């Protein structure tokens, strides 16, 4: 007889109670703290998030403090986690909570889902962990477990597959009892992160092994199936380091830039303009090569070459001189951090991600 949803739930919760990692955000059910942790954990590893999470909460202990933070200061607190849009969305949502909900984190799932930057996954995680509401989470870890359990070979990048997997996860959470929802969602994610891993899943330690079709068929590692993603485009980038009495020529990216608005960067040229001679138009005479590195953003792989350069005429508009002592306090673009890290003299004030 096939195992019931309740049996899956019971076994997973039992496993979680003795195998859960002790993580700082698991010691609270405060929605603000759960929310910050879930946003930080998107695209960043658990171990890397822990110190940022603790520092961030010391600096912004509640929604009101986050809503009132000056943007530059907030970006500095976020520096190192990358994907700065997440920090901006956090603050935008904090402002909405402050203005529309008197600073009290809303309990209504639909209201939470409507806050800036909060998608299905984060709304479900907050609903379950903070308010014990039965909304299933579906992230990459959970999809992997689900696809393997049923040996489901459908493409998980397709919406129809995601909907089917989400329905399965919802069946389970619907059979949880009050007081179990947050733990169940966390247990499912934990199973994916620590046992049902992309490579070499530890099936012997899995509470669902006897019901797992992929284990029985021996094809766990080939699941889930993902169709090939869009091709990566290679883009040349020439970056220059220009010094004057120890200071560096830099500019702040305009506030309306899509990527990293408000961040500071070295002069650079992109694409076919990346020929270093083109810097003459900025009054810069390019000298020796400092080094090269690669940097990828979504579908683009930047092949960056860094040069030293001299300013031959007036300082170009929009640029100013930044002393190294200020550098560690400014939010810098990742390309700029990587370029500066090539020169040891700056390693003490900047750190490439
Ligand atoms: Fe994943 Fe193995 Fe558990 Fe199946 S038995 S869910 S493949 S860890």
């Amino acid at each position: 007889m096939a195992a019931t949803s309740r049996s899956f739930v019971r076994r997973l919760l039992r496993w979680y109670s003795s195998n859960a990692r002790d993580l700082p955000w698991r010691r609270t059910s405060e929605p603000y703290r759960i929310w910050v942790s879930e946003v930080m954990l998107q695209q960043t590893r658990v171990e890397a998030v822990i110190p940022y999470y603790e520092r961030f909460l010391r600096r912004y202990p509640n929604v009101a403090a986050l809503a009132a933070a000056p943007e530059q200061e907030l970006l500095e607190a976020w520096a190192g986690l990358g994907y700065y849009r997440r920090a901006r969305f956090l603050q935008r949502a904090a402002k909405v909570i402050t203005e529309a909900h008197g600073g009290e984190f809303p309990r209504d799932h639909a209201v939470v889902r409507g806050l800036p930057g909060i998608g299905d996954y984060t709304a479900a995680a907050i609903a379950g962990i903070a308010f014990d509401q039965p909304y299933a989470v579906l992230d990459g870890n959970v999809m992997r477990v689900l696809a393997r359990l049923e040996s489901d070979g459908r493409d998980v990048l397709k919406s129809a597959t995601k909907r089917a997997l989400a329905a399965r996860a919802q069946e389970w959470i619907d059979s949880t009892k009050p007081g179990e929802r947050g733990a169940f969602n966390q247990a499912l994610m934990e199973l994916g992160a620590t046992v049902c891993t992309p490579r070499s899943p530890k099936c012997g330690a899995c509470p669902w092994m006897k019901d797992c079709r992929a284990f029985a068929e021996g094809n766990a590692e080939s699941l889930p199936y993902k169709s090939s993603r869009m091709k990566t485009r290679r883009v040349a980038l020439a970056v220059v380091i220009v010094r004057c009495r120890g200071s560096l020529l830099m500019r702040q990216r305009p506030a309306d830039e899509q990527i990293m608005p408000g961040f500071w960067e070295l002069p650079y040229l992109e694409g076919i303009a990346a020929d270093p001679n083109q810097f003459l138009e900025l009054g810069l005479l390019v000298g020796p090569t400092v080094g090269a590195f690669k940097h990828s953003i979504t579908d683009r792989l930047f092949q960056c070459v860094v040069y030293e350069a001299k300013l031959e005429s007036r300082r170009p508009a929009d640029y100013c001189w930044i002393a190294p002592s200020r550098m560690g306090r400014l939010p810098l673009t990742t390309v700029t951090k990587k370029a500066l890290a090539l020169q040891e003299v700056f390693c003490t004030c900047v750190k490439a991600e």
Side-chain angles (χ1 to χ4, degrees):
M1 192 178 80
T4 61
S5 294
R6 184 64 201 159
S7 150
F8 274 98
V9 168
R10 267 205 312 268
R11 278 181 283 156
L12 185 64
L13 287 175
R14 207 177 309 126
W15 170 83
Y16 185 63
S17 70
S18 40
N19 291 283
R21 288 170 292 177
D22 179 26
L23 301 172
W25 44 88
R26 291 195 175 146
R27 298 175 208 138
T28 180
S29 57
E30 210 184 296
Y32 171 68
R33 288 171 177 254
I34 305 296
W35 172 42
V36 170
S37 71
E38 289 299 337
V39 173
M40 284 187 173
L41 287 164
Q42 292 161 16
Q43 288 136 334
T44 311
R45 285 177 307 108
V46 166
E47 301 73 32
V49 164
I50 293 172
Y52 285 98
Y53 171 81
E54 290 176 335
R55 264 201 309 273
F56 192 89
L57 288 175
R58 276 198 297 277
R59 203 158 179 180
Y60 309 117
N62 50 44
V63 171
L66 176 58
E71 190 185 15
Q72 287 289 312
E73 185 199 287
L74 174 66
L75 296 177
E76 281 167 44
W78 198 267
L81 283 169
Y83 299 96
Y84 291 85
R85 272 165 58 87
R86 296 181 294 172
R88 290 198 166 87
F89 273 127
L90 263 182
Q91 188 174 47
R92 275 171 55 192
K95 286 182 176 165
V96 173
I97 296 170
T98 306
E99 285 155 21
H101 304 281
E104 185 87 8
F105 206 97
R107 294 179 71 91
D108 185 322
H109 174 264
V111 174
V112 174
R113 176 68 183 83
L115 290 170
I118 295 195
D120 288 334
Y121 168 80
T122 308
I126 296 169
I129 302 167
F131 301 122
D132 193 33
Q133 295 168 352
Y135 292 92
V137 290
L138 191 73
D139 67 352
N141 282 329
V142 175
M143 283 199 283
R144 183 168 59 254
V145 176
L146 288 163
R148 287 175 175 176
L149 261 185
E150 317 229 325
S151 193
D152 187 334
R154 287 177 293 175
D155 182 358
V156 289
L157 296 180
K158 295 231 158 88
S159 319
T161 312
K162 282 186 190 161
R163 277 198 300 277
L165 297 177
R168 182 76 173 111
Q170 191 61 42
E171 260 176 47
W172 284 330
I173 201 118
D174 286 341
S175 65
T176 54
K177 294 181 176 166
E180 292 180 343
R181 281 72 187 252
F184 179 79
N185 273 340
Q186 291 187 87
L188 197 46
M189 293 186 275
E190 187 80 342
L191 187 72
T194 63
V195 174
C196 195
T197 45
R199 297 216 176 79
S200 311
K202 303 166 192 72
C203 300
C206 178
W208 288 343
M209 186 180 76
K210 74 180 175 63
D211 293 298
C212 179
R213 287 184 56 193
F215 172 71
E217 292 165 16
N219 62 351
E221 277 208 50
S222 65
L223 293 169
Y225 170 68
K226 290 181 188 170
S227 56
S228 53
R229 292 173 181 278
M230 59 187 142
K231 282 218 167 82
T232 303
R233 194 157 57 88
R234 287 167 190 271
V235 181
L237 206 71
V239 183
V240 287
I241 296 176
V242 188
R243 291 196 199 81
C244 177
R245 295 193 201 98
S247 293
L248 289 175
L249 190 66
M250 300 187 86
R251 73 157 197 156
Q252 188 173 25
R253 289 172 71 80
D256 57 358
E257 284 277 1
Q258 277 211 322
I259 297 171
M260 304 193 110
F263 278 68
W264 289 80
E265 64 187 2
L266 296 167
Y268 71 90
L269 294 170
E270 184 180 321
I272 51 167
D275 173 357
N277 292 322
Q278 303 286 332
F279 280 108
L280 282 171
E281 288 177 20
L282 282 176
L284 298 170
L285 190 62
V286 172
T289 305
V290 175
F293 60 88
K294 290 179 182 160
H295 176 64
S296 48
I297 300 178
T298 56
D299 63 330
R300 283 176 298 168
L301 175 68
F302 291 100
Q303 294 176 303
C304 310
V305 181
V306 183
Y307 304 90
E308 285 187 357
K310 277 190 199 148
L311 186 58
E312 287 285 283
S313 53
R314 287 165 64 91
R315 177 164 50 84
D318 302 339
Y319 284 84
C320 56
W321 295 107
I322 301 290
S325 56
R326 275 189 70 200
M327 206 90 65
R329 298 196 303 273
L330 292 178
L332 304 178
T333 65
T334 311
V335 164
T336 291
K337 283 185 195 173
K338 286 183 174 176
L340 293 176
L342 291 172
Q343 294 208 314
E344 262 183 35
V345 64
F346 295 112
C347 285
T348 52
C349 54
V350 297
K351 196 163 145 272
E353 283 172 20

PDB file of all heavy atoms in Angstrom, residues 144-146 148-150 191-192 195-197 201-216 219-221, ligand 1:
ATOM      1  N   ARG A 144      14.133  19.130  -6.150  1.00  0.00           N
ATOM      2  CA  ARG A 144      14.996  17.967  -6.377  1.00  0.00           C
ATOM      3  C   ARG A 144      14.466  16.751  -5.611  1.00  0.00           C
ATOM      4  O   ARG A 144      14.337  15.653  -6.162  1.00  0.00           O
ATOM      5  CB  ARG A 144      16.428  18.303  -5.952  1.00  0.00           C
ATOM      6  CG  ARG A 144      17.422  17.183  -6.215  1.00  0.00           C
ATOM      7  CD  ARG A 144      18.843  17.647  -6.051  1.00  0.00           C
ATOM      8  NE  ARG A 144      19.124  18.172  -4.724  1.00  0.00           N
ATOM      9  CZ  ARG A 144      19.290  19.450  -4.415  1.00  0.00           C
ATOM     10  NH1 ARG A 144      19.236  20.375  -5.357  1.00  0.00           N
ATOM     11  NH2 ARG A 144      19.532  19.836  -3.187  1.00  0.00           N
ATOM     12  N   VAL A 145      14.114  16.967  -4.348  1.00  0.00           N
ATOM     13  CA  VAL A 145      13.596  15.855  -3.546  1.00  0.00           C
ATOM     14  C   VAL A 145      12.314  15.303  -4.179  1.00  0.00           C
ATOM     15  O   VAL A 145      12.155  14.085  -4.345  1.00  0.00           O
ATOM     16  CB  VAL A 145      13.301  16.330  -2.092  1.00  0.00           C
ATOM     17  CG1 VAL A 145      12.670  15.204  -1.284  1.00  0.00           C
ATOM     18  CG2 VAL A 145      14.575  16.820  -1.416  1.00  0.00           C
ATOM     19  N   LEU A 146      11.416  16.198  -4.545  1.00  0.00           N
ATOM     20  CA  LEU A 146      10.126  15.774  -5.100  1.00  0.00           C
ATOM     21  C   LEU A 146      10.293  15.012  -6.409  1.00  0.00           C
ATOM     22  O   LEU A 146       9.680  13.957  -6.624  1.00  0.00           O
ATOM     23  CB  LEU A 146       9.240  17.003  -5.339  1.00  0.00           C
ATOM     24  CG  LEU A 146       8.678  17.660  -4.076  1.00  0.00           C
ATOM     25  CD1 LEU A 146       8.193  19.063  -4.372  1.00  0.00           C
ATOM     26  CD2 LEU A 146       7.543  16.827  -3.528  1.00  0.00           C
ATOM     27  N   ARG A 148      12.808  13.363  -7.433  1.00  0.00           N
ATOM     28  CA  ARG A 148      13.450  12.056  -7.215  1.00  0.00           C
ATOM     29  C   ARG A 148      12.476  11.069  -6.569  1.00  0.00           C
ATOM     30  O   ARG A 148      12.440   9.902  -6.951  1.00  0.00           O
ATOM     31  CB  ARG A 148      14.696  12.233  -6.347  1.00  0.00           C
ATOM     32  CG  ARG A 148      15.828  12.875  -7.128  1.00  0.00           C
ATOM     33  CD  ARG A 148      17.014  13.170  -6.239  1.00  0.00           C
ATOM     34  NE  ARG A 148      18.144  13.682  -7.002  1.00  0.00           N
ATOM     35  CZ  ARG A 148      19.270  14.083  -6.447  1.00  0.00           C
ATOM     36  NH1 ARG A 148      19.439  14.023  -5.148  1.00  0.00           N
ATOM     37  NH2 ARG A 148      20.252  14.529  -7.208  1.00  0.00           N
ATOM     38  N   LEU A 149      11.721  11.553  -5.612  1.00  0.00           N
ATOM     39  CA  LEU A 149      10.788  10.648  -4.924  1.00  0.00           C
ATOM     40  C   LEU A 149       9.873   9.932  -5.909  1.00  0.00           C
ATOM     41  O   LEU A 149       9.570   8.767  -5.768  1.00  0.00           O
ATOM     42  CB  LEU A 149       9.903  11.456  -3.976  1.00  0.00           C
ATOM     43  CG  LEU A 149      10.261  11.486  -2.513  1.00  0.00           C
ATOM     44  CD1 LEU A 149       9.198  12.244  -1.752  1.00  0.00           C
ATOM     45  CD2 LEU A 149      10.406  10.073  -1.946  1.00  0.00           C
ATOM     46  N   GLU A 150       9.427  10.676  -6.927  1.00  0.00           N
ATOM     47  CA  GLU A 150       8.490  10.092  -7.883  1.00  0.00           C
ATOM     48  C   GLU A 150       9.190   9.693  -9.174  1.00  0.00           C
ATOM     49  O   GLU A 150       8.536   9.365 -10.158  1.00  0.00           O
ATOM     50  CB  GLU A 150       7.391  11.105  -8.193  1.00  0.00           C
ATOM     51  CG  GLU A 150       6.907  11.800  -6.934  1.00  0.00           C
ATOM     52  CD  GLU A 150       5.411  11.832  -6.783  1.00  0.00           C
ATOM     53  OE1 GLU A 150       4.728  11.952  -7.803  1.00  0.00           O
ATOM     54  OE2 GLU A 150       4.940  11.722  -5.643  1.00  0.00           O
ATOM     55  N   LEU A 191      16.361  18.507   4.124  1.00  0.00           N
ATOM     56  CA  LEU A 191      16.605  17.203   3.504  1.00  0.00           C
ATOM     57  C   LEU A 191      17.284  17.406   2.138  1.00  0.00           C
ATOM     58  O   LEU A 191      18.243  16.709   1.794  1.00  0.00           O
ATOM     59  CB  LEU A 191      15.281  16.443   3.329  1.00  0.00           C
ATOM     60  CG  LEU A 191      15.419  15.002   2.848  1.00  0.00           C
ATOM     61  CD1 LEU A 191      15.971  14.113   3.957  1.00  0.00           C
ATOM     62  CD2 LEU A 191      14.066  14.444   2.372  1.00  0.00           C
ATOM     63  N   GLY A 192      16.774  18.367   1.376  1.00  0.00           N
ATOM     64  CA  GLY A 192      17.364  18.646   0.060  1.00  0.00           C
ATOM     65  C   GLY A 192      18.782  19.179   0.173  1.00  0.00           C
ATOM     66  O   GLY A 192      19.657  18.881  -0.636  1.00  0.00           O
ATOM     67  N   VAL A 195      20.898  15.924   2.588  1.00  0.00           N
ATOM     68  CA  VAL A 195      20.826  14.480   2.295  1.00  0.00           C
ATOM     69  C   VAL A 195      20.573  14.226   0.811  1.00  0.00           C
ATOM     70  O   VAL A 195      21.343  13.539   0.134  1.00  0.00           O
ATOM     71  CB  VAL A 195      19.716  13.814   3.156  1.00  0.00           C
ATOM     72  CG1 VAL A 195      19.525  12.355   2.759  1.00  0.00           C
ATOM     73  CG2 VAL A 195      20.079  13.895   4.635  1.00  0.00           C
ATOM     74  N   CYS A 196      19.508  14.829   0.288  1.00  0.00           N
ATOM     75  CA  CYS A 196      19.168  14.607  -1.126  1.00  0.00           C
ATOM     76  C   CYS A 196      19.909  15.649  -1.973  1.00  0.00           C
ATOM     77  O   CYS A 196      19.316  16.480  -2.644  1.00  0.00           O
ATOM     78  CB  CYS A 196      17.654  14.715  -1.304  1.00  0.00           C
ATOM     79  SG  CYS A 196      17.109  14.033  -2.884  1.00  0.00           S
ATOM     80  N   THR A 197      21.218  15.593  -1.888  1.00  0.00           N
ATOM     81  CA  THR A 197      22.075  16.606  -2.523  1.00  0.00           C
ATOM     82  C   THR A 197      22.177  16.367  -4.040  1.00  0.00           C
ATOM     83  O   THR A 197      21.935  15.251  -4.508  1.00  0.00           O
ATOM     84  CB  THR A 197      23.477  16.535  -1.883  1.00  0.00           C
ATOM     85  OG1 THR A 197      23.843  15.139  -1.793  1.00  0.00           O
ATOM     86  CG2 THR A 197      23.473  17.108  -0.488  1.00  0.00           C
ATOM     87  N   PRO A 201      23.668  11.690  -3.418  1.00  0.00           N
ATOM     88  CA  PRO A 201      22.684  11.778  -2.326  1.00  0.00           C
ATOM     89  C   PRO A 201      22.912  10.659  -1.308  1.00  0.00           C
ATOM     90  O   PRO A 201      23.297   9.547  -1.683  1.00  0.00           O
ATOM     91  CB  PRO A 201      21.338  11.618  -3.044  1.00  0.00           C
ATOM     92  CG  PRO A 201      21.655  10.991  -4.361  1.00  0.00           C
ATOM     93  CD  PRO A 201      23.036  11.436  -4.726  1.00  0.00           C
ATOM     94  N   LYS A 202      22.692  11.017  -0.037  1.00  0.00           N
ATOM     95  CA  LYS A 202      22.949  10.039   1.042  1.00  0.00           C
ATOM     96  C   LYS A 202      21.651   9.289   1.334  1.00  0.00           C
ATOM     97  O   LYS A 202      21.010   9.477   2.382  1.00  0.00           O
ATOM     98  CB  LYS A 202      23.453  10.765   2.281  1.00  0.00           C
ATOM     99  CG  LYS A 202      24.705  11.597   2.000  1.00  0.00           C
ATOM    100  CD  LYS A 202      24.982  12.567   3.143  1.00  0.00           C
ATOM    101  CE  LYS A 202      26.024  13.595   2.761  1.00  0.00           C
ATOM    102  NZ  LYS A 202      25.570  14.606   1.800  1.00  0.00           N
ATOM    103  N   CYS A 203      21.247   8.447   0.395  1.00  0.00           N
ATOM    104  CA  CYS A 203      19.935   7.789   0.486  1.00  0.00           C
ATOM    105  C   CYS A 203      19.818   6.927   1.739  1.00  0.00           C
ATOM    106  O   CYS A 203      18.733   6.801   2.309  1.00  0.00           O
ATOM    107  CB  CYS A 203      19.671   6.965  -0.770  1.00  0.00           C
ATOM    108  SG  CYS A 203      19.671   7.987  -2.254  1.00  0.00           S
ATOM    109  N   GLY A 204      20.935   6.381   2.203  1.00  0.00           N
ATOM    110  CA  GLY A 204      20.888   5.538   3.383  1.00  0.00           C
ATOM    111  C   GLY A 204      20.435   6.303   4.621  1.00  0.00           C
ATOM    112  O   GLY A 204      19.947   5.711   5.580  1.00  0.00           O
ATOM    113  N   ALA A 205      20.601   7.646   4.606  1.00  0.00           N
ATOM    114  CA  ALA A 205      20.221   8.450   5.772  1.00  0.00           C
ATOM    115  C   ALA A 205      18.864   9.118   5.563  1.00  0.00           C
ATOM    116  O   ALA A 205      18.444   9.947   6.367  1.00  0.00           O
ATOM    117  CB  ALA A 205      21.291   9.520   6.011  1.00  0.00           C
ATOM    118  N   CYS A 206      18.190   8.774   4.478  1.00  0.00           N
ATOM    119  CA  CYS A 206      16.954   9.490   4.110  1.00  0.00           C
ATOM    120  C   CYS A 206      15.719   8.812   4.721  1.00  0.00           C
ATOM    121  O   CYS A 206      15.528   7.605   4.566  1.00  0.00           O
ATOM    122  CB  CYS A 206      16.826   9.521   2.595  1.00  0.00           C
ATOM    123  SG  CYS A 206      15.317  10.330   2.042  1.00  0.00           S
ATOM    124  N   PRO A 207      14.878   9.608   5.380  1.00  0.00           N
ATOM    125  CA  PRO A 207      13.695   9.002   6.007  1.00  0.00           C
ATOM    126  C   PRO A 207      12.658   8.510   4.980  1.00  0.00           C
ATOM    127  O   PRO A 207      11.722   7.820   5.345  1.00  0.00           O
ATOM    128  CB  PRO A 207      13.122  10.169   6.843  1.00  0.00           C
ATOM    129  CG  PRO A 207      13.599  11.406   6.157  1.00  0.00           C
ATOM    130  CD  PRO A 207      14.943  11.072   5.591  1.00  0.00           C
ATOM    131  N   TRP A 208      12.824   8.859   3.726  1.00  0.00           N
ATOM    132  CA  TRP A 208      11.842   8.474   2.711  1.00  0.00           C
ATOM    133  C   TRP A 208      12.380   7.408   1.750  1.00  0.00           C
ATOM    134  O   TRP A 208      11.773   7.130   0.717  1.00  0.00           O
ATOM    135  CB  TRP A 208      11.411   9.711   1.906  1.00  0.00           C
ATOM    136  CG  TRP A 208      10.541  10.647   2.686  1.00  0.00           C
ATOM    137  CD1 TRP A 208       9.873  10.373   3.832  1.00  0.00           C
ATOM    138  CD2 TRP A 208      10.246  12.011   2.364  1.00  0.00           C
ATOM    139  NE1 TRP A 208       9.159  11.476   4.246  1.00  0.00           N
ATOM    140  CE2 TRP A 208       9.372  12.493   3.371  1.00  0.00           C
ATOM    141  CE3 TRP A 208      10.624  12.879   1.335  1.00  0.00           C
ATOM    142  CZ2 TRP A 208       8.871  13.804   3.366  1.00  0.00           C
ATOM    143  CZ3 TRP A 208      10.126  14.175   1.328  1.00  0.00           C
ATOM    144  CH2 TRP A 208       9.261  14.628   2.345  1.00  0.00           C
ATOM    145  N   MET A 209      13.529   6.841   2.079  1.00  0.00           N
ATOM    146  CA  MET A 209      14.193   5.940   1.134  1.00  0.00           C
ATOM    147  C   MET A 209      13.277   4.810   0.648  1.00  0.00           C
ATOM    148  O   MET A 209      13.239   4.494  -0.537  1.00  0.00           O
ATOM    149  CB  MET A 209      15.446   5.363   1.769  1.00  0.00           C
ATOM    150  CG  MET A 209      16.276   4.533   0.808  1.00  0.00           C
ATOM    151  SD  MET A 209      17.731   3.884   1.623  1.00  0.00           S
ATOM    152  CE  MET A 209      17.049   2.578   2.592  1.00  0.00           C
ATOM    153  N   LYS A 210      12.518   4.212   1.541  1.00  0.00           N
ATOM    154  CA  LYS A 210      11.750   3.035   1.108  1.00  0.00           C
ATOM    155  C   LYS A 210      10.609   3.394   0.158  1.00  0.00           C
ATOM    156  O   LYS A 210      10.071   2.528  -0.512  1.00  0.00           O
ATOM    157  CB  LYS A 210      11.257   2.231   2.312  1.00  0.00           C
ATOM    158  CG  LYS A 210      10.128   2.792   3.101  1.00  0.00           C
ATOM    159  CD  LYS A 210       9.797   1.833   4.238  1.00  0.00           C
ATOM    160  CE  LYS A 210       8.743   2.352   5.180  1.00  0.00           C
ATOM    161  NZ  LYS A 210       7.442   2.584   4.608  1.00  0.00           N
ATOM    162  N   ASP A 211      10.255   4.683   0.078  1.00  0.00           N
ATOM    163  CA  ASP A 211       9.198   5.091  -0.858  1.00  0.00           C
ATOM    164  C   ASP A 211       9.761   5.826  -2.078  1.00  0.00           C
ATOM    165  O   ASP A 211       8.998   6.352  -2.886  1.00  0.00           O
ATOM    166  CB  ASP A 211       8.210   6.026  -0.149  1.00  0.00           C
ATOM    167  CG  ASP A 211       7.438   5.280   0.920  1.00  0.00           C
ATOM    168  OD1 ASP A 211       6.720   4.343   0.562  1.00  0.00           O
ATOM    169  OD2 ASP A 211       7.607   5.623   2.108  1.00  0.00           O
ATOM    170  N   CYS A 212      11.082   5.913  -2.174  1.00  0.00           N
ATOM    171  CA  CYS A 212      11.675   6.745  -3.230  1.00  0.00           C
ATOM    172  C   CYS A 212      11.880   5.937  -4.511  1.00  0.00           C
ATOM    173  O   CYS A 212      12.640   4.965  -4.538  1.00  0.00           O
ATOM    174  CB  CYS A 212      13.006   7.317  -2.740  1.00  0.00           C
ATOM    175  SG  CYS A 212      13.816   8.318  -3.994  1.00  0.00           S
ATOM    176  N   ARG A 213      11.236   6.386  -5.576  1.00  0.00           N
ATOM    177  CA  ARG A 213      11.333   5.649  -6.840  1.00  0.00           C
ATOM    178  C   ARG A 213      12.703   5.824  -7.492  1.00  0.00           C
ATOM    179  O   ARG A 213      13.231   4.905  -8.093  1.00  0.00           O
ATOM    180  CB  ARG A 213      10.221   6.089  -7.794  1.00  0.00           C
ATOM    181  CG  ARG A 213       8.863   5.542  -7.336  1.00  0.00           C
ATOM    182  CD  ARG A 213       7.771   5.867  -8.308  1.00  0.00           C
ATOM    183  NE  ARG A 213       8.057   5.388  -9.658  1.00  0.00           N
ATOM    184  CZ  ARG A 213       7.388   5.752 -10.736  1.00  0.00           C
ATOM    185  NH1 ARG A 213       6.389   6.615 -10.630  1.00  0.00           N
ATOM    186  NH2 ARG A 213       7.695   5.275 -11.918  1.00  0.00           N
ATOM    187  N   ALA A 214      13.257   7.013  -7.356  1.00  0.00           N
ATOM    188  CA  ALA A 214      14.578   7.227  -7.972  1.00  0.00           C
ATOM    189  C   ALA A 214      15.618   6.331  -7.304  1.00  0.00           C
ATOM    190  O   ALA A 214      16.509   5.790  -7.965  1.00  0.00           O
ATOM    191  CB  ALA A 214      14.990   8.690  -7.861  1.00  0.00           C
ATOM    192  N   PHE A 215      15.501   6.166  -5.969  1.00  0.00           N
ATOM    193  CA  PHE A 215      16.433   5.274  -5.273  1.00  0.00           C
ATOM    194  C   PHE A 215      16.246   3.845  -5.797  1.00  0.00           C
ATOM    195  O   PHE A 215      17.222   3.163  -6.126  1.00  0.00           O
ATOM    196  CB  PHE A 215      16.182   5.328  -3.763  1.00  0.00           C
ATOM    197  CG  PHE A 215      16.977   4.303  -3.007  1.00  0.00           C
ATOM    198  CD1 PHE A 215      18.354   4.433  -2.873  1.00  0.00           C
ATOM    199  CD2 PHE A 215      16.355   3.192  -2.456  1.00  0.00           C
ATOM    200  CE1 PHE A 215      19.099   3.471  -2.201  1.00  0.00           C
ATOM    201  CE2 PHE A 215      17.093   2.227  -1.785  1.00  0.00           C
ATOM    202  CZ  PHE A 215      18.476   2.364  -1.662  1.00  0.00           C
ATOM    203  N   ALA A 216      14.980   3.440  -5.909  1.00  0.00           N
ATOM    204  CA  ALA A 216      14.704   2.075  -6.367  1.00  0.00           C
ATOM    205  C   ALA A 216      15.206   1.861  -7.798  1.00  0.00           C
ATOM    206  O   ALA A 216      15.712   0.798  -8.142  1.00  0.00           O
ATOM    207  CB  ALA A 216      13.202   1.804  -6.283  1.00  0.00           C
ATOM    208  N   ASN A 219      18.383   6.044 -10.351  1.00  0.00           N
ATOM    209  CA  ASN A 219      18.642   7.185 -11.249  1.00  0.00           C
ATOM    210  C   ASN A 219      18.589   8.533 -10.525  1.00  0.00           C
ATOM    211  O   ASN A 219      18.377   9.582 -11.139  1.00  0.00           O
ATOM    212  CB  ASN A 219      17.638   7.185 -12.416  1.00  0.00           C
ATOM    213  CG  ASN A 219      16.201   7.331 -11.936  1.00  0.00           C
ATOM    214  OD1 ASN A 219      15.961   7.262 -10.739  1.00  0.00           O
ATOM    215  ND2 ASN A 219      15.269   7.527 -12.847  1.00  0.00           N
ATOM    216  N   ALA A 220      18.792   8.520  -9.187  1.00  0.00           N
ATOM    217  CA  ALA A 220      18.653   9.770  -8.418  1.00  0.00           C
ATOM    218  C   ALA A 220      19.556  10.881  -8.950  1.00  0.00           C
ATOM    219  O   ALA A 220      19.116  12.011  -9.112  1.00  0.00           O
ATOM    220  CB  ALA A 220      18.945   9.501  -6.943  1.00  0.00           C
ATOM    221  N   GLU A 221      20.802  10.548  -9.254  1.00  0.00           N
ATOM    222  CA  GLU A 221      21.741  11.615  -9.652  1.00  0.00           C
ATOM    223  C   GLU A 221      21.379  12.270 -10.978  1.00  0.00           C
ATOM    224  O   GLU A 221      21.831  13.368 -11.272  1.00  0.00           O
ATOM    225  CB  GLU A 221      23.165  11.069  -9.709  1.00  0.00           C
ATOM    226  CG  GLU A 221      23.795  11.054  -8.337  1.00  0.00           C
ATOM    227  CD  GLU A 221      25.302  11.195  -8.386  1.00  0.00           C
ATOM    228  OE1 GLU A 221      25.801  12.103  -9.045  1.00  0.00           O
ATOM    229  OE2 GLU A 221      25.976  10.371  -7.751  1.00  0.00           O
TER     230      GLU A 221
HETATM  231 FE1  LIG B   1      16.681  11.749  -2.295  1.00  0.00          FE
HETATM  232 FE2  LIG B   1      17.788   9.339  -1.940  1.00  0.00          FE
HETATM  233 FE3  LIG B   1      15.923  10.263  -0.250  1.00  0.00          FE
HETATM  234 FE4  LIG B   1      15.268   9.554  -2.709  1.00  0.00          FE
HETATM  235  S1  LIG B   1      16.090   8.219  -1.101  1.00  0.00           S
HETATM  236  S2  LIG B   1      14.593  11.389  -1.645  1.00  0.00           S
HETATM  237  S3  LIG B   1      17.055  10.198  -3.870  1.00  0.00           S
HETATM  238  S4  LIG B   1      17.985  11.110  -0.583  1.00  0.00           S
END
